Amino acid sequence: MSTPHDWLTLALTPGVGPVGFLKLIEAFGSAASACRASRSQLEPLIGREAADALKGDAAAESVTAALAWAEQPGCSLMTLLDDDYPPDLAASHGPPPLLFLRGRRELLTRPMLAVVGSRHATPQGCRDAEAFAAGLAGAGYTVVSGLAAGVDAAAHRGALAQPASTVAVIGTGIDRVYPAGNKALAQQIAEAGLIVSEFALGIRPLAGNFPRRNRIIAALTRGCLVVEASVDSGSLITARLAAEAGREVLAIPGSIHNPQARGCHRLLKEGAKLVETVDDVLDEVGRPAVPKAEPRRRAAATEPPQPAEAETPLLAALGFEPVDADTLAVRLGLTAQQVYAMLLEQELAGRVASLPGGRFQRLG
């Protein structure tokens, strides 16, 4: 009979990987039998290097660290044999045999939607991601993303205010935070949501880790919403994997002048559903069969609605495209110095954001 140690040894041995793990289980019937197999039996299934690593007990230190880590409050290990292992993930190609979890494990039993996008999102893109995630979580969907900068971080923040909350699937060991700037956000997710990793403790953010992370995001969710993405964004990998798995792919359109919208436009040309509101998303993926949860923070529900800001000549001249100050000066018939003063005022009021290259964009 296999022990947790046997399972961890097989899962954490370098070079075995999810596909190799399943080959070994299929060939030998259990993790314990696979660990006892000879090199000559192992090599045809997983290759010489992985066979040598398994027989050399290369995972011993990782196994000890994982077992000790799982003893901490809020931390647990999930295996493919566990009753609460997500069935959609189990049915995917090469499901991770072992997951490190930190936070609310029960979130993996809920209906989930992915909200992903560019690490270099525009201010409006981040606002859209946060608003859509908040609305979807308010409707009962747990929002899944990758804890990257930009759209991912905004989506996590938006969903955290709702009991449906958020799941962050990461491309490092669960004891690391990447990027480092998301450390505080990761702590909030660990307390009110869930962080998931298939990688051993201490694993750094290697480039090859993130497509593996993306396949988990795609497999866990009913659909994938791409908010902003360049044509080479990793979020398009998530969208492609979601489509291949039969999930809905949705995208928010953007300006033809915004390079961070071109990936979304490509998805739309390929058949993704164009969405402009949370209801558009729900119409495509359906409403979850769980009770609609009340928000964690109720103060906003009792506050009177704030009046909308009056349209100013500057905001009207900005429109909804990124614009440089010289162009605005021409549109308004003002000097550049006058325009910069107006822009500063609007930026301090949170209605305008400065972008790279000396451009400015209206927020909302």
Side-chain angles (χ1 to χ4, degrees):
M1 181 177 178
S2 297
T3 66
H5 192 281
D6 296 325
W7 192 276
L8 289 169
T9 297
L10 212 58
L12 296 177
T13 293
V16 172
V19 175
F21 183 100
L22 294 177
K23 286 182 179 179
L24 293 175
I25 295 297
E26 183 178 350
F28 299 106
S30 70
S33 297
C35 288
R36 290 195 299 267
S38 67
R39 278 183 174 82
S40 62
Q41 291 174 305
L42 295 169
E43 189 173 326
L45 297 170
I46 58 175
R48 177 178 296 179
E49 289 187 10
D52 288 345
L54 183 57
K55 298 313 295 180
D57 208 12
E61 187 175 339
S62 296
V63 171
T64 300
L67 291 170
W69 176 87
E71 294 296 320
Q72 299 178 81
C75 300
S76 65
L77 300 172
M78 175 179 279
T79 75
L80 192 54
L81 296 180
D82 289 341
D83 291 340
D84 57 347
Y85 191 97
D88 287 339
L89 183 58
S92 66
H93 175 70
L98 175 69
L99 294 172
F100 291 78
L101 308 179
R102 185 179 174 208
R104 297 169 57 196
R105 179 175 175 134
E106 73 275 8
L107 290 179
L108 290 180
T109 66
R110 298 183 59 100
M112 290 178 271
L113 282 178
V115 178
V116 297
S118 174
R119 287 177 168 82
H120 308 290
T122 65
Q124 186 63 55
C126 289
R127 284 162 62 96
D128 289 343
E130 187 165 347
F132 269 79
L136 294 169
Y141 278 108
T142 295
V143 171
V144 183
S145 200
L147 197 61
V151 165
D152 288 18
H156 289 309
R157 285 194 297 269
L160 274 171
Q162 306 292 340
S165 196
T166 188
V167 172
V169 184
I170 62 175
T172 67
I174 204 165
D175 55 337
R176 289 175 174 261
V177 176
Y178 176 80
N182 280 346
K183 186 174 182 180
L185 176 60
Q187 182 60 38
Q188 292 174 337
I189 297 172
E191 292 171 358
L194 178 68
I195 301 177
V196 178
S197 175
E198 68 172 309
F199 299 103
L201 299 174
I203 293 296
R204 298 181 293 107
L206 304 173
N209 294 356
F210 295 97
R212 291 178 60 181
R213 173 204 65 181
N214 293 347
R215 91 187 192 288
I216 296 178
I217 294 174
L220 283 174
T221 55
R222 292 187 183 181
C224 177
L225 171 63
V226 183
V227 177
E228 273 190 346
S230 62
V231 292
D232 58 354
S233 171
S235 58
L236 297 191
I237 297 175
T238 308
R240 176 178 56 79
L241 293 170
E244 291 174 355
R247 311 298 197 264
E248 292 285 355
V249 177
L250 314 103
I252 298 175
S255 166
I256 60 172
H257 304 291
N258 178 8
Q260 299 304 328
R262 290 174 187 160
C264 291
H265 294 167
R266 174 180 289 182
L267 290 174
L268 293 169
K269 291 176 182 177
E270 294 172 351
K273 304 297 172 54
L274 186 154
V275 297
E276 297 175 313
T277 67
V278 169
D279 282 339
D280 289 342
V281 178
L282 297 175
D283 288 344
E284 293 295 336
V285 299
R287 284 163 171 76
V290 294
K292 187 173 178 179
E294 291 295 321
R296 290 180 185 275
R297 295 193 288 265
R298 299 185 57 87
T302 60
E303 295 173 357
Q306 298 299 311
E309 293 292 337
E311 182 88 338
T312 67
L314 177 67
L315 294 178
L318 267 170
F320 292 92
E321 313 288 349
V323 181
D324 62 77
D326 289 339
T327 299
L328 284 173
V330 172
R331 290 179 182 176
L332 292 166
L334 301 173
T335 66
Q337 185 175 1
Q338 289 173 313
V339 168
Y340 275 115
M342 295 166 67
L343 285 167
L344 178 59
E345 179 183 355
Q346 295 297 319
E347 189 172 0
L348 292 173
R351 294 189 284 275
V352 169
S354 59
L355 304 176
R359 298 181 302 163
F360 297 85
Q361 185 174 36
R362 177 176 175 168
L363 298 177

